[in-house]
Amino acid sequence: MRLAATLMPVIDFVFPPRCPLCGDPVAAHGGLCLDCWGTLAVPSGACCTLCQRPMGEQHSVDAELICAPCMAEPPRHTGIAAATLYNEPSRALVLAFKHGRRIGLAPMMARMMLTRIGPLEGQWLVVPVPLHRWRLMRRGFNQSALLAGEIARGLGQNLVVDGLVRHRATPSLGGMGRKARARVLAGAIKAHPRRASLIKGAKVLLVDDVMTSGATTNACISALRKAGAAQVRIACFARVLDEALDSVRSRSVVDG
């Protein structure tokens, strides 16, 4: 840490810090300029008690609210903490991080997620959504695992990077509807046999970069529940709301 602090002025001189969205100069690496920060859709105000879906300014922040999707199908998780709602700026960050290989964005994105997660009572396991080994070899990293590592450090909780395994390769889910995604993912994700003793009875924070229809997280929750997890909470950087799916699907929701 001391060496890093000593070298930082030299790094800033050689590689001046710039906003990852617009390229304008910023005070330090890993941050957005004020203008780009203002374009992110950060969840706020009243939300669903079960899934944290924003409920609109007409409701009281302290009200016990349940959204229509949760009333129709109560979730198997104990909450969703999303740093942003999926829009063009958040999409650009995810694309730069995941497909542009700008893994230096992970600490900033994780910090934004941590502000939404808040403190966790007791001991938790931080588990990333897995990639199939073929996709992992092609990309070279699992973006969800990088975020999970930063979040585990920030919370002081245990990271179980291989708690889940995607043992069957699946096509990209971009452009698929909810039912099609669920069919593709059925049985594709399982708990790692060597981590079963850790997961049984544990509270798990499941980490992903983008939560779209919920098909991937539902597959992960099913695997964790089958392994005996006591409860599962979800943390993601960007969340696509159901009512926004049609509009963003045409712009290819990044997935996997």
Side-chain angles (χ1 to χ4, degrees), residues 200-253:
K200 187 174 182 179
K203 294 183 288 187
V204 177
L205 182 67
L206 179 67
V207 176
D208 202 0
D209 58 339
V210 179
M211 181 177 176
T212 309
S213 68
T216 302
T217 51
N218 284 339
C220 291
I221 292 169
S222 294
L224 290 167
R225 290 292 195 184
K226 188 174 181 180
Q231 61 174 287
V232 181
R233 192 177 177 196
I234 301 164
C236 61
F237 174 73
R239 181 182 181 186
V240 181
L241 295 178
D242 293 341
E243 54 268 27
L245 271 176
D246 290 338
S247 62
V248 298
R249 189 175 290 132
S250 61
R251 298 193 297 274
S252 300
V253 177

Side-chain angles (χ1 to χ4, degrees), residues 164-205:
L164 292 171
V165 179
R166 193 182 295 235
H167 67 94
R168 191 181 76 235
T170 56
S172 173
L173 305 181
M176 293 186 186
R178 179 186 295 272
K179 292 182 179 179
R181 287 169 177 254
R183 284 196 298 270
V184 168
L185 286 164
I189 298 174
K190 294 184 178 180
H192 196 302
R194 295 181 182 176
R195 304 293 177 255
S197 60
L198 287 175
I199 295 172
K200 187 174 182 179
K203 294 183 288 187
V204 177
L205 182 67

Side-chain angles (χ1 to χ4, degrees), residues 8 61 64 72 85 92 101 104 108 120 143 147 166 171 224 226 237 250 256:
M8 191 56 67
V61 175
E64 292 287 326
L85 301 181
R101 298 178 179 274
M108 179 195 73
L120 298 176
Q143 70 281 353
L147 293 173
R166 193 182 295 235
L224 290 167
K226 188 174 181 180
F237 174 73
S250 61

Side-chain angles (χ1 to χ4, degrees), residues 81 112-121 151 154-155 157 205 233:
M112 295 175 65
M113 294 167 68
L114 284 166
T115 62
R116 297 291 296 173
I117 296 168
L120 298 176
E121 294 184 5
I151 287 170
L155 293 173
Q157 301 289 354
L205 182 67
R233 192 177 177 196

Side-chain angles (χ1 to χ4, degrees), residues 41-194:
V42 179
S44 61
C47 62
C48 173
T49 303
L50 298 179
C51 77
Q52 280 74 61
R53 178 187 297 270
M55 297 291 283
E57 297 180 357
Q58 70 272 23
H59 298 287
S60 169
V61 175
D62 298 324
E64 292 287 326
L65 304 170
I66 300 178
C67 67
C70 284
M71 285 192 287
E73 187 177 348
R76 300 175 66 195
H77 57 70
T78 57
I80 301 171
T84 66
L85 301 181
Y86 193 88
N87 64 2
E88 287 297 341
S90 63
R91 176 177 181 269
L93 281 173
V94 172
L95 284 172
F97 174 46
K98 182 158 55 178
H99 300 299
R101 298 178 179 274
R102 297 183 62 179
I103 61 175
L105 292 173
M108 179 195 73
M109 296 168 72
R111 286 195 302 270
M112 295 175 65
M113 294 167 68
L114 284 166
T115 62
R116 297 291 296 173
I117 296 168
L120 298 176
E121 294 184 5
Q123 296 297 310
W124 287 69
L125 301 180
V126 182
V127 177
V129 170
L131 288 181
H132 188 268
R133 63 181 181 276
W134 292 348
R135 185 169 295 182
L136 182 60
M137 285 189 290
R138 285 197 301 269
R139 185 172 298 163
F141 63 94
N142 178 355
Q143 70 281 353
S144 297
L146 294 180
L147 293 173
E150 297 287 341
I151 287 170
R153 281 190 289 273
L155 293 173
Q157 301 289 354
N158 292 323
L159 172 68
V160 185
V161 72
D162 58 350
L164 292 171
V165 179
R166 193 182 295 235
H167 67 94
R168 191 181 76 235
T170 56
S172 173
L173 305 181
M176 293 186 186
R178 179 186 295 272
K179 292 182 179 179
R181 287 169 177 254
R183 284 196 298 270
V184 168
L185 286 164
I189 298 174
K190 294 184 178 180
H192 196 302
R194 295 181 182 176

